[in-house]
Amino acid sequence: MLHISILGAGNLAYHLAKRISQIQGVNLLQIYNRSPFSFHFDSFKQAQIGNLSELLAADIYIICIKDEEIATFSTLLPLKNQFVVHTSGNTPMEVLADTHRKGVLYPVQSFSKEKEIAFSQIPLCLEAQHPSDYALLEDFAKKLSPLVYKMSSQQRKQLHIGAVFANNFANHLWYISEKHCQKHDIDFRILRPLLQETYQKTLQMSFYEAQTGPARRADTITIEKHLSLLDGIDQQIYKILTQSILQAYEKC
Amino acid sequence: MLHISILGAGNLAYHLAKRISQIQGVNLLQIYNRSPFSFHFDSFKQAQIGNLSELLAADIYIICIKDEEIATFSTLLPLKNQFVVHTSGNTPMEVLADTHRKGVLYPVQSFSKEKEIAFSQIPLCLEAQHPSDYALLEDFAKKLSPLVYKMSSQQRKQLHIGAVFANNFANHLWYISEKHCQKHDIDFRILRPLLQETYQKTLQMSFYEAQTGPARRADTITIEKHLSLLDGIDQQIYKILTQSILQAYEKC
């Protein structure tokens, strides 16, 4: 039986606790939070603690707190030579205090307490200082999800950049598009089916092949017309992304 | 009974012909193509013509050819004062020859012959010179799809810009992300579930609310770290989109 303790009570902590309670061979030993737990954690009442001095011996301690607080928090843990992992995509393993055997369990997904999520479909990126700890972490992670990947802090940092482009920036472009339509009194619902098609297309072909539009066709007349109808930062964004597409297809 | 003739035999012409053959009260009178028809049009053999002089009197002539050829092509039609519409999102109605009663039927979707598409879920943007023609076009369009919108050439141009941001540019960001992962030996499949979540989230909340990431949090430490790990045009794109997000949330 693997004994797991979770440190923190945010969205990830909640989904992790729930998942652990569903799987065999793993025991959710304790959940620590410095402030009172939200009602979401009611089914884990017995495991709740509010003081780090109450921490019992666990196989893995999983830190689920804000990225910028991980380093300091890890120095406060009254543990010695225990296996402590954080769950941040954007934080090197090394920031954990040297008093611990260090590791990372990074679930590549965004969590909110209100939305159910199939943990079994979440890729988990793992790292550990010691091979034996890696084996332990992998054993645990594979019970959470079959999508387990070994990944260095260096790679994880690059993955996070990839996520910013694919998710944060793509969402922002949708926002710009919606704002542009609103400005011209156009119902954005007109673009919704196309948005869905654009997304679904990429499940069937590569992004490279799926590319369409004026820049893909090197249609400079349309590009110039569009630029003349835009201003400010939207115009700059149009220009640089068009330039990038032209470069990708070597049409510039 | 409405008599419709299609001019062109590309992807849109194919899906339009198929849809017309499924609906009541509309007759696909003729399909013109200057070159031989592909096998996709085999079930419309009787309607096929290869010479514009064979054109019969129809209620609506629908031009489904490349944007840049519409104007010239419309002058070649041996018709007088007939109702001729084009199907381009990016072309003003006015480019049609003055010998015709002009209109536009713009389906906001991308078509490929190989992929089945539910025409009834495609938004159709309509425009016509004369109110009576608009009524006729609307009558026809509503048989194709319930999602019918009246839209001026001016608005359609702006809608096209919206589509470039939401679709073409979003797809290119996914491509950049994939390329970035490949460069750092990271399996892009790790980001796939997050991509799906990002897309699906926008069906439940606004793009504005759905925004996450370093720029949304105004997390300048991460932003600077990411910029130092990028170069070339990817770095410029990261910079400008971050700037735009900071502006949108008034954090700059």
Side-chain angles (χ1 to χ4, degrees):
Chain A
M1 179 67 80
L2 271 176
H3 297 282
I4 308 288
S5 289
I6 296 175
L7 309 169
N11 296 333
L12 171 59
Y14 166 67
H15 286 284
L16 203 53
K18 241 180 79 180
R19 178 68 179 154
I20 289 173
S21 69
Q22 292 162 351
I23 57 183
Q24 298 284 312
V26 183
N27 171 43
L28 178 61
L29 188 66
Q30 294 181 307
I31 314 180
Y32 161 80
N33 202 30
R34 61 181 168 190
S35 37
F37 286 83
S38 71
F39 69 91
H40 301 89
F41 289 88
D42 282 357
S43 51
F44 312 109
K45 272 244 154 68
Q46 287 189 307
Q48 295 179 9
I49 59 169
N51 203 313
L52 289 174
S53 64
E54 299 170 66
L55 279 178
L56 301 174
D59 294 302
I60 312 176
Y61 298 85
I62 306 178
I63 298 179
C64 303
I65 64 173
K66 280 188 191 147
D67 292 7
E68 60 273 25
E69 295 174 2
I70 293 169
T72 309
F73 179 75
S74 77
T75 65
L76 303 177
L77 295 174
L79 304 171
K80 237 186 193 146
N81 203 30
Q82 295 298 308
F83 188 33
V84 175
V85 307
H86 74 61
T87 49
S88 163
N90 195 33
T91 308
M93 179 173 68
E94 294 311 322
V95 308
L96 293 167
D98 291 333
T99 40
H100 311 304
R101 285 150 38 217
K102 307 175 188 187
V104 177
L105 167 71
Y106 169 49
V108 188
Q109 188 52 280
S110 69
F111 297 87
S112 71
K113 285 201 189 86
E114 312 315 327
K115 195 163 178 297
E116 281 310 305
I117 206 144
F119 225 102
S120 61
Q121 286 163 31
I122 299 177
L124 301 173
C125 299
L126 311 186
E127 185 178 11
Q129 263 181 319
H130 307 294
S132 58
D133 286 335
Y134 186 85
L136 180 73
L137 187 60
E138 191 181 37
D139 181 40
F140 168 60
K142 283 187 170 166
K143 292 177 197 282
L144 298 175
S145 163
L147 309 172
V148 167
Y149 298 86
K150 188 171 190 167
M151 188 174 285
S152 67
S153 290
Q154 196 56 34
Q155 279 181 307
R156 214 171 48 247
K157 201 158 58 178
Q158 300 292 356
L159 177 72
H160 189 231
I161 293 179
V164 170
F165 276 96
N167 301 291
N168 305 154
F169 288 168
N171 182 77
H172 185 60
L173 289 182
W174 296 332
Y175 167 73
I176 292 174
S177 173
E178 182 186 46
K179 215 179 41 169
H180 183 81
C181 286
Q182 280 166 355
K183 186 175 161 190
H184 296 281
D185 206 20
I186 299 163
D187 190 336
F188 187 77
R189 280 177 298 180
I190 296 175
L191 284 180
R192 273 285 178 187
L194 187 56
L195 200 67
Q196 185 182 2
E197 179 69 12
T198 300
Y199 171 72
Q200 285 183 342
K201 226 166 124 181
T202 69
L203 304 175
Q204 290 163 5
M205 59 179 92
S206 71
F207 300 124
Y208 189 83
E209 292 170 305
Q211 189 65 52
T212 57
R216 174 66 186 93
R217 297 190 305 273
D219 175 355
T220 47
I221 295 170
T222 300
I223 292 167
E224 288 305 321
K225 213 185 334 180
H226 284 178
L227 284 171
S228 74
L229 291 166
L230 290 165
D231 56 17
I233 199 160
D234 291 354
Q235 191 189 52
Q236 291 175 265
I237 292 168
Y238 190 104
K239 208 179 270 180
I240 190 86
L241 286 171
T242 292
Q243 190 57 33
S244 180
I245 295 170
L246 290 169
Q247 276 185 26
Y249 295 88
E250 284 170 39
K251 288 192 166 168
C252 60
Chain B
M1 179 68 79
L2 271 176
H3 297 282
I4 307 287
S5 289
I6 295 175
L7 308 168
N11 296 334
L12 173 57
Y14 166 68
H15 286 284
L16 203 51
K18 241 181 77 180
R19 178 69 179 153
I20 289 173
S21 69
Q22 292 162 352
I23 56 182
Q24 298 284 312
V26 183
N27 171 42
L28 178 61
L29 188 67
Q30 294 180 306
I31 313 181
Y32 161 81
N33 202 30
R34 62 180 171 192
S35 38
F37 285 83
S38 71
F39 70 90
H40 300 91
F41 289 88
D42 282 357
S43 51
F44 312 108
K45 270 243 154 65
Q46 287 189 305
Q48 295 179 7
I49 59 169
N51 203 312
L52 289 175
S53 65
E54 299 170 68
L55 278 179
L56 302 173
D59 295 301
I60 312 175
Y61 298 84
I62 306 177
I63 298 179
C64 302
I65 64 173
K66 279 188 191 150
D67 291 8
E68 59 273 26
E69 295 173 4
I70 293 170
T72 309
F73 179 76
S74 77
T75 66
L76 304 176
L77 295 174
L79 305 171
K80 239 187 191 147
N81 203 31
Q82 295 298 306
F83 188 33
V84 175
V85 306
H86 75 60
T87 48
S88 164
N90 195 33
T91 308
M93 178 173 71
E94 294 311 322
V95 307
L96 293 167
D98 290 334
T99 42
H100 311 304
R101 285 151 38 217
K102 308 176 188 186
V104 177
L105 168 71
Y106 168 47
V108 188
Q109 188 53 283
S110 69
F111 297 88
S112 71
K113 287 203 188 83
E114 313 315 326
K115 196 164 177 299
E116 281 310 306
I117 206 143
F119 225 102
S120 61
Q121 285 162 32
I122 299 176
L124 302 172
C125 299
L126 311 186
E127 185 178 10
Q129 261 181 319
H130 307 293
S132 58
D133 286 336
Y134 186 85
L136 181 73
L137 187 61
E138 191 181 36
D139 182 40
F140 167 60
K142 282 187 170 166
K143 291 177 197 285
L144 299 175
S145 163
L147 309 172
V148 167
Y149 298 86
K150 188 171 192 170
M151 189 174 285
S152 68
S153 290
Q154 196 55 34
Q155 279 181 307
R156 214 170 48 248
K157 202 157 58 177
Q158 300 292 355
L159 177 71
H160 189 230
I161 293 179
V164 169
F165 276 95
N167 301 290
N168 306 154
F169 288 168
N171 182 77
H172 184 61
L173 289 182
W174 296 333
Y175 167 73
I176 292 174
S177 174
E178 183 186 46
K179 216 181 39 170
H180 183 81
C181 287
Q182 280 165 356
K183 187 176 161 190
H184 297 282
D185 206 21
I186 298 164
D187 190 336
F188 186 77
R189 281 177 297 179
I190 296 174
L191 284 180
R192 273 285 180 187
L194 187 56
L195 201 67
Q196 184 182 1
E197 178 70 10
T198 300
Y199 171 71
Q200 285 184 342
K201 224 165 124 182
T202 69
L203 304 175
Q204 291 163 5
M205 59 178 93
S206 71
F207 301 124
Y208 189 83
E209 291 170 307
Q211 190 64 52
T212 56
R216 174 67 186 91
R217 297 190 304 271
D219 174 355
T220 47
I221 294 170
T222 300
I223 291 167
E224 288 305 321
K225 214 185 333 180
H226 284 178
L227 284 171
S228 74
L229 292 165
L230 290 164
D231 56 19
I233 198 160
D234 290 355
Q235 191 189 54
Q236 291 174 265
I237 292 169
Y238 190 104
K239 208 179 270 181
I240 191 86
L241 285 171
T242 292
Q243 189 57 33
S244 179
I245 295 170
L246 289 169
Q247 275 183 27
Y249 296 88
E250 284 170 42
K251 287 194 167 168
C252 59

